[in-house]
Structure formats: C-alpha cells, structure tokens
Amino acid sequence: MTDAALASAPPVSDEVAVQITGMNKWYGQFHVLRDINLTVTRGERIVICGPSGSGKSTLIRCINRLEEHQSGHIVVDGTELTSNLRNIDKVRSEVGMVFQHFNLFPHLTVLENCTLAPMWVRKIPKREAEATAMEFLEKVRIPEQAGKYPGQLSGGQQQRVAIARSLCMRPKIMLFDEPTSALDPEMIKEVLDTMIELAREGMTMLCVTHEMGFAQAVANRVIFMDQGQIVEQNTPREFFNNPRSDRTKLFLSQIL
Ligand code: ADP
Ligand code: MG
C-alpha cells in the first residue's frame, strides 16, 4: 500500500460528522475516558491506536451508544446522544459498526444477515433489500457466498460479510474496532482492501487498528490514546516520523 492508494479519494470536507466535547466515562469507579474532545468531519479517515486497555473500544462504542457517557457531549450528524431513545435509534441507523469478532447471525445465511436490518428496521421490501445486499456482497467480492451460512466461510470472508451487512443500512459513518485482529495473516489484506475501497469512495471512517501500513496509506489523521486520553493526533506522516510524546514513542517502538 502506498500514498497512491487514496489518490482518488474525495477531499475531506469541513462539514462536521461527529463532535465530541468534554466527554468523560466511568465504568463504576473506573474513569475510562477522560475529557475527550474530538471533531470528525465528513470524509475523514481516522485511525485510533494505543495500548490495550487505553479506551479505544469504549470511545468508538460511545459514538453509537453501545456505551453510555456520563458527562460532556457527543453529537453525531447533528443529533446529540442522550438517553432519548429516538436520538439513539437515529444515530444507530446512520452509523455502521464492524467488530473484531464478526458478530454475524450464525443461523442466517449471508444474504439473510444482510437483509435483516434493512427489512425490519428500515421496512424495505424483501426483494429490494436482497438486491441491495447483492450489490454490496459484490462490492466486497463475495456474491457467490450469498446462500451460505457464516460458519461455512473463512474469517476474512465473514468479516467482509459483516462490512457488507453494515453498508446495506447505508451508513454515513463507519466504525471499525480491530476488524483484522482475529484474522489469519493471509486474510488481513482482503479485509483491508475492502476498507481502502470504502475510504476511496469518501466514507467517513473511524478505525481502531494496529495495522500501521493501513494507517499510513488511508488515514488522514492518526489518534493515539493512552489511559483514557487522546494523547496525540497528527497526520500519519508526522505521527510516525515525528511522534511528540514519550508515550507515543514508546508505543511505536513496541509495534513497528
Ligand atoms: P481498548 O479497546 O483500548 O483495549 P477498552 O475500551 O476495551 O480498551 O477498555 C478500557 C478499559 O476499560 C480497560 O481497562 C478495560 O478493562 C475496562 N473496561 C472495558 N469494558 C469494561 C466494562 N464493561 N466494565 C468495566 N470495565 C471495562
Ligand atoms: Mg479494544
């Protein structure tokens, strides 16, 4: 992967997609996220990295309210996340999420996995939902697997189904939480290639990943977290070549 990978990516806009201000979260007594401030504009491709336990998953899970924050504000596409269920539903319908463990429904076929939410949440007729699902299964290059069950697919194929399933809801923002960490090495590339394709089409993406080649090729911004804080953020070039904080330097020395 090179810088050329995204040569045709649409420019990042100044329209705000996600705005997080003064946000804190506790698990019981444990202060897991500390004064998080983060503005994501439409079309940004952000890679979040940092040591295990630094709060990366918790942060992106707060963005679609899989976790609740206790203070500060999270506004997604103009809608503030509060306990208002209508707002939560609206945000969830606009934000796709892909997890480390693909979280497909094992008893449904690939096609059914992809049509379930569009049919039941968006009330899209079955035939139309299936046509859309096939379109996205083609995009992730596994249309021939549509009739199979997740257990019959490789890990890389399952993760591509998970991405296609998210895309079927036509999200405005995609969140990825270590999407390649559970994959055998030979399958990592096929998933990263799918993500690169999405980035090229202008999708707003927040990706927790330790794939630093991906970060260098795709991200316009890399965020480093440690102990519940955003310690440093920069362009990939600056982040990797000229890390500022000692914690970032230590982290990079351990993973590169
Ligand atoms: P990361 O994704 O960077 O590895 P996480 O966001 O998963 O970090 O976790 C941050 C910290 O919060 C860790 O110390 C973890 O043990 C703790 N934690 C995560 N989920 C919970 C939970 N549901 N209840 C209590 N503590 C949690
Ligand atoms: Mg995590």
Side-chain angles (χ1 to χ4, degrees), residues 102-120:
F102 329 118
N103 298 12
L104 297 171
F105 298 109
H107 59 291
L108 298 181
T109 65
V110 164
L111 188 67
E112 288 164 347
N113 264 279
C114 292
T115 57
L116 190 70
M119 284 170 58
W120 293 100

Side-chain angles (χ1 to χ4, degrees), residues 52-53 55-58 100 177-178 208:
S52 179
K56 306 179 298 295
S57 295
T58 305
Q100 179 176 357
D177 192 359
E178 302 206 34
V208 176

